[in-house]
Amino acid sequence: MKTTIEPLAILGGPKTITQPFRRYNSIGQEEVEAAKKVIESGVLSRFLGCWEPDFYGGPKVQGFERQCEAYFGVKHAVTVNSWTSGLIAAVGAIGIEPGDEVIVSPWTMCATATAILHWNAIPVFADIEPETFCLDPVSVEANITPYTKAIMVVDIFGHSAEMDILMAIAERHGLKVISDTAQAPGTYYKGRVTGTLAHVGGYSLNYHKHIHTGEGGILVTDDDDIADRLRLIRNHAEAVVGDKGVTDLRNMVGYNFRLGEIECAIGLEQLKKLKGFVASRQRAAERLTQGLANLPGLRPPIVKPDCTHAYYMYPMVLDVERLGVPRARILAALEAEGVVGLAAGYACLHLLPMYQQKMAYGSKGFPWSSDICHREVSYRKGICPVAEKLNESDYLGYEMCMHELTDADVDLIVKAFEKVWAQMGRLK
Ligand SMILES: *Cc1c(COP(=O)(O)O)cnc(C)c1O
């Protein structure tokens, strides 16, 4: 029997997906009850920015932190009001000096690199691996100079970076490692918890992530000294160091990075659900990969041996030369079929105006123009060829955290891809 294929929606045919999928919502009645109890208590935050017991926050803040320590298997968890704040605190806590170089991925959310600049240190962008989109250890090593002090590793889209290799490089060169695991909570790298393998790491709790408290972040570390400094930077360090007897004043410039009692009460409930949420993303992603596996010129996500993926994003790579159709046209055709949540390209931070013009603090090019900067660091196009090519032409992402996908939803997405692929010639 001859099966007739419907014309593509972009060319006037019927859409494959006609009903919107259910929006992902991790918040349930448990969170409502937990938040309500805090509100009824009247104590929405108990932090105090001086050296007394309330320096560490109220019962929900401390309760959530102890729960995170048990959950992620670390000595210290420190909550903060956003993961951006967490990254800033982490760079300060490891003792970065103005002018120090920190190697970072360009393929990440902007805050990862801005946290470095924040302490007047210099972001140096290394390229990424095409398989996982995480820092390429070879490129990291090639970018180490006498001024390099740390590596900021990102477990992007939900898959861990090559931590064993990166930690070995760091050890060989005496560098500290921070891991930005905002997108990969509840995943494993060779049987170990992603985010906990660096000197300090952590997770975002913003609205778009697997679990959230509205805004928020969790720092994790096994290092007592780093943990102390994180807590000081979080809560007005300069006012506290005297009474606390802290003598090493490096970066003891404080903020109010404190997370509230309501958020931490919600966080306690969210943490209980994290495993289930990640498992449901994995189920949907594995079904999608099965469905897309045989489409020519499309590479579904790769999961390395002994690793798990949280699928914050479902990253695909197109072979646009082979397909003979530009990515924008394929994306438009898929969107016309009703697929919502696709994105062409992700990020190439070094190409942002701030780096291209080397203008951050004030108007005179600080910190790059200052004599704290040891050498001319390049942000020109071409320094990260893998990331740049993916961003310009090959990468296609699908936001798995936007919807709560049923098997039938996934099958419809597959059907939309199959339809577009079957008629790729018509898009030329
Ligand atoms: C979300 C995210 C951040 C920032 O987290 P916030 O909690 O929104 O401040 C940083 N890095 C990555 C990779 C992220 O995905």
Side-chain angles (χ1 to χ4, degrees), residues 22-26 157-158 183-187 207-211 273-289 301 309-314 398-407 409-410:
R22 188 153 69 93
R23 192 177 68 78
Y24 175 55
N25 178 10
S26 67
F157 300 154
Q183 302 183 0
T187 66
Y207 169 67
H208 303 280
K209 301 291 165 34
H210 289 79
I211 58 170
K273 303 178 180 179
L274 176 59
K275 221 186 202 99
F277 289 141
V278 171
S280 84
R281 295 301 79 99
Q282 288 168 339
R283 262 198 316 277
E286 280 157 20
R287 190 175 181 90
L288 191 53
T289 294
H309 203 309
Y311 297 104
Y312 177 71
M313 273 280 185
Y314 180 90
Y398 176 67
E399 286 183 47
M400 292 287 290
C401 265
M402 245 172 102
H403 298 105
E404 190 60 63
L405 298 174
T406 64
D407 285 357
D409 296 339
V410 175

Side-chain angles (χ1 to χ4, degrees), residues 81-85 87 108-112 154-156 180-183 203-206 209 215-217 312 346:
N81 59 1
S82 77
W83 179 234
T84 299
S85 304
L87 289 165
T108 178
M109 194 251 166
C110 60
T112 319
V154 188
D155 303 311
I156 202 73
D180 177 348
T181 311
Q183 302 183 0
Y203 314 96
S204 169
L205 294 170
N206 91 18
K209 301 291 165 34
E215 302 287 351
Y312 177 71
Y346 186 64

